[in-house]
Amino acid sequence: MRKAVAVPLSMLGLGLAGLGYASVVERNWFRLRRFDVPVLERGQRPVRVLHLSDLHLTPRRTMLINWVRSLGALEPDLVVNTGDSIAHPEAVPALLHALEPLLSRPGLFVYGSNDLYAPVPKNPARYLWRTSKNDHRQHVPSLPWEELGAGMAAEGWLDMNNTTARIKVGDLDVAVAGIHDSHIARDRYDLVAGPAPADADLRLGVMHSPEPRNMTRFAADGYQLLLAGHTHGGQLCIPFYGALVTNCGIDRARVKGLNRHDSAWLHVSAGLGTSPYAPVRFACFPEATLLTLVPRR
């Protein structure tokens, strides 16, 4: 009888240990990833782009807030926030406090669905057979997305939701096109469609969810570097196998990191946060990324 009980108890112990690690240790083990991206012309000076995404911030996530503040020491030439920044009605002041050391730098942002709609309890297993696209029970935004955007815009960051802009980044003249979140059908690529300005030193496309149909249009229009988030890198991954799901149309092989999409470079951030109702990460550390843009060889 004792042997029959010992096996399930040991398995239960391992499960509890794994859950504790995923929810307490790895979820707060923030990392800065670095990539060189060869998109500039010969002779142009490198510039550094800090890519932030998916903080899903609640006011009491002190460790996350302090870690993001520490990124100000990097002194990036540009900061790009690809959305899902908040997860609580009172999180905007906490987010602006986290971003404060970076808000003096040139910046861009787009929204994710969770900047508009508060998270709700879900069965995480259903992501194995479906995405959460258009899965929101709320029809009226329940989070202060306008306050969120106004706070970043007041410091000079550009709201890139379904619009285009030009911005000076280091020595570069950068043409930017951005779209709202396709996950909730607010993307309007037709509003930014058309050939990217040929006279720009760099052409940058920004979105929350890396949907291939939009990425293909960005690349066809001449945008050289595409930035997205949303996937959480899979959030729960299997060592030596990788992500089980992406929660969007992109393939698992490109769920995070630097890759190619047609003629463009694509960087998908695994993000820094989690939903308050699924506060775990496993084999998928929370991250921000410093992209150094360098001349092509």
Side-chain angles (χ1 to χ4, degrees), residues 69-210:
R69 287 183 62 85
S70 75
L71 298 176
L74 297 172
E75 298 186 343
D77 299 292
L78 176 68
V79 184
V80 179
N81 176 2
T82 50
D84 275 4
S85 297
I86 57 175
H88 190 281
E90 299 176 5
V92 172
L95 178 76
L96 295 178
H97 178 64
L99 295 177
E100 181 185 15
L102 296 165
L103 289 172
S104 61
R105 320 298 299 183
L108 313 167
F109 67 91
V110 292
Y111 297 125
S113 61
N114 287 283
D115 293 319
L116 283 73
Y117 301 105
V120 295
K122 299 177 183 177
N123 175 9
R126 67 181 178 175
Y127 288 112
L128 293 172
W129 63 83
R130 55 170 291 191
T131 75
S132 59
K133 183 176 175 63
N134 297 323
D135 207 21
H136 299 275
R137 304 169 191 170
Q138 307 163 64
H139 299 289
V140 177
S142 54
L143 290 178
W145 64 273
E146 292 175 307
E147 179 187 350
L148 168 67
M152 291 185 284
E155 300 297 329
W157 284 19
L158 300 183
D159 180 342
M160 296 307 305
N161 290 284
N162 297 326
T163 192
T164 60
R166 299 287 281 262
I167 185 172
K168 190 74 171 176
V169 179
D171 295 332
L172 302 182
D173 172 29
V174 180
V176 187
I179 53 174
H180 207 306
D181 190 6
S182 58
H183 210 61
I184 49 174
R186 288 182 176 244
D187 56 320
R188 300 291 184 270
Y189 193 90
D190 286 346
L191 296 179
V192 304
D199 61 340
D201 296 316
L202 173 70
R203 294 171 290 281
L204 176 65
V206 182
M207 70 206 89
H208 176 65
S209 181

